[in-house]
Structures are given as C-alpha cells and as structure tokens.
Amino acid sequence: MRTGDMEPLVAGARELGLVLGERTLAAFDLYRRELADWNTRFNLTAITDREGILVRHFLDSLSCLRALPRRELSAGARVIDLGTGAGFPGLPLKIICPGMRLTLLEATHKKVVFLRHLIGLLGLKGVVVIHGRAETLGRDPAHRERYDWALARAVAEMPTLAEYLLPLVRVGGAALAQKGDRAAAEVHAADRAITTLGGRVRQLLPVHLRGLAETRYLVIVDKVAATPEKYPRRPGIPSKRPL
Ligand code: SAH
C-alpha cells in the first residue's frame, strides 16, 4: 500500500475528526482490494473504482460517527447493521471501533459468504454475520429489542425501514438511517409508522463528505416505547404495504 493511495479516505476522515493510523489504513486497503476482486465474480456493489470505494463506501460509513457515540461503541455497545450488503456501514465502523459488538444482517447469500471471508481475513472479533431477513429477526427473542443501535444504508424507504429497524432496538436505544437529499420528505412520510413502532425522531443531521457534492443525512430515531407485538409483519409485507 502506498500511503498516497488512501488520501481521499485519510483527508475525508480528518474532516470528520478521525485520525486513521497505519494499521487501520492497511485494513481498509485490504477491504478495498477484496471487494474489487470479489466484485468481478459476484457483483456485490455498483461502485468499484478506488476513489468510489474509499469515499462512497468507507468514508460515508464512517460519517455515522457524527451521530454514534464512539466511546459507547468501543465500550461494547450492541449494534446491528441491517441489509449490510458488502458491509456498509457496519464493517468500516467496526474497523475504527473494535470494541463494538456487531451483528451484520443480510438476505443475499453471496454477500454473506463475502462478509465471512473478509472478517476472517481482517481478523475481526466480535462480529456475527446472519443470513436472513429483518422481518424474521425482529420476531426472534434473541434479537428483538436487544440492540443499542440499529443502522441501515440504502435498504428501503423510511416507512418500511422503520418496521425493519425499530423492533430490533431496545427502549432507550436508537435507530440510524443514512439517507440522501430526500431525507426530510421520507421522514415526514414515515411519521405515523415511526410513532406506531415506538420511535420518536430525534434529528436529521446533514453531513458533508470531502469529495462528494451531495449532502447526506443521518436520520436518528429514538426508541421511546416497546414495539407492539404484531410488528414486524411477515417477510415482504413491510415493503408491499408500508405503515
Ligand atoms: N447497506 C449496503 C447495501 C445496500 S443494498 C450499502 O449501503 O452498500 C440493500 C441490501 O439490503 C441488499 O444487499 C439486500 O439483500 C438487503 N436487504 C433488503 N431487504 C432486506 C431485509 N428485509 N432483510 C435483510 N436484508 C435485506
């Protein structure tokens, strides 16, 4: 790895207040190369160029730390990343905060295979990869209302996403959704769903990433009451008939 190759990530992270050391950069470099390599065979992501992976995947994932309390994560907070795909935003966060207890949930098998391979290669401890759907996990007593934070990026529109995320969060915890410039409209459309599921919108936090023109938003929803028993509904229903 030549240090200059990582510059878009290093400089962007610095603007987020994060200093990335040599070992961290080596981990991100390995992650990038594995992702690009596997992608030629398995089509894991649409973004494959080096700068795209560094900024749109890694840096964008790390921007969650504008909202997530880094100290709590490092002290062992329980976090689930739902519909994680090739690991975003969960795995970059885990690389920066090794103490967090992370669950990655993904419905597509080939992505699960990639994630397990990568986690072994990076030697990460305290990460569990589950092949399954949010609607099923949200009804499983081992996972329902067990997480301090539930995260998601690019998985579903807000009303559907709320039904995926909120059942997994303990009362007192929070959900975080990474959204684009339609964030406010999506949240507005999800108002009733969020309340029904025991959530309350805390904040829409705009984030600017170095090297990216568009504004990104972190939507933070506090879990203020238990989710009613009947949610989440069975697989496919939250997206077909959003609350
Ligand atoms: N979060 C990643 C991937 C986004 S693509 C990123 O931002 O790059 C959306 C992913 O969510 C897909 O991999 C899809 O398989 C998964 N997914 C969609 N609905 C899901 C559900 N109900 N439960 C679990 N995974 C789901």
Side-chain angles (χ1 to χ4, degrees):
M1 174 186 64
R2 288 182 297 127
T3 316
D5 290 347
M6 303 299 278
E7 187 54 22
L9 177 61
V10 174
R14 198 182 302 124
E15 286 185 8
L16 294 172
L18 300 166
V19 180
L20 307 183
E22 275 300 310
R23 288 177 58 172
T24 305
L25 288 176
F28 278 117
D29 192 47
L30 185 56
Y31 192 165
R32 183 190 62 75
R33 282 186 281 122
E34 288 300 306
L35 180 58
D37 178 36
W38 277 57
N39 209 52
T40 60
R41 284 168 284 147
F42 298 106
N43 190 25
L44 301 171
T45 168
I47 299 165
T48 53
D49 64 296
R50 192 169 55 82
E51 176 140 357
I53 292 177
L54 295 182
V55 174
R56 289 179 183 272
H57 283 329
F58 296 162
L59 189 61
D60 190 49
S61 296
L62 294 181
S63 75
C64 290
L65 290 169
R66 295 299 293 269
L68 297 171
R70 197 173 168 187
R71 191 172 299 155
E72 279 171 39
L73 296 190
S74 295
R78 290 194 56 163
V79 178
I80 184 164
D81 176 15
L82 180 165
T84 188
F88 308 117
L91 271 188
L93 293 168
K94 175 71 182 174
I95 289 171
I96 299 286
C97 305
M100 74 196 265
R101 287 181 282 174
L102 178 64
T103 300
L104 299 174
L105 176 65
E106 174 49 51
T108 304
H109 185 253
K110 64 181 180 182
K111 296 179 180 175
V112 169
V113 174
F114 170 73
L115 291 167
R116 292 193 173 131
H117 160 78
L118 183 69
I119 287 162
L121 203 61
L122 292 172
L124 295 172
K125 306 287 176 231
V127 192
V128 178
V129 184
I130 298 177
H131 179 213
R133 292 190 61 94
E135 301 93 316
T136 313
L137 217 67
R139 304 195 74 90
D140 179 341
H143 296 276
R144 185 180 175 90
E145 303 200 318
R146 294 280 177 165
Y147 292 92
D148 301 304
W149 286 91
L151 322 175
R153 183 183 84 156
V155 174
E157 295 269 314
M158 212 51 212
T160 302
L161 195 58
E163 192 169 348
Y164 292 163
L165 289 170
L166 285 168
L168 294 162
V169 180
R170 68 168 171 86
V171 174
L176 188 164
Q178 291 189 266
K179 288 289 177 189
D181 55 11
R182 291 186 53 251
E186 276 197 49
V187 170
H188 183 65
D191 245 8
R192 208 182 39 198
I194 290 171
T195 308
T196 302
L197 294 159
R200 185 165 63 209
V201 178
R202 185 201 303 177
Q203 195 181 10
L204 268 74
L205 185 66
V207 185
H208 295 277
L209 297 183
R210 192 173 201 274
L212 216 62
E214 67 259 32
T215 303
R216 307 274 296 140
Y217 291 86
L218 302 177
V219 178
I220 307 156
V221 179
D222 288 311
K223 180 83 178 258
V224 294
T227 299
E229 277 292 322
K230 63 177 168 184
Y231 304 112
R233 292 165 294 168
R234 58 195 166 72
I237 302 298
S239 63
K240 204 179 303 168
R241 288 194 276 115
L243 286 174

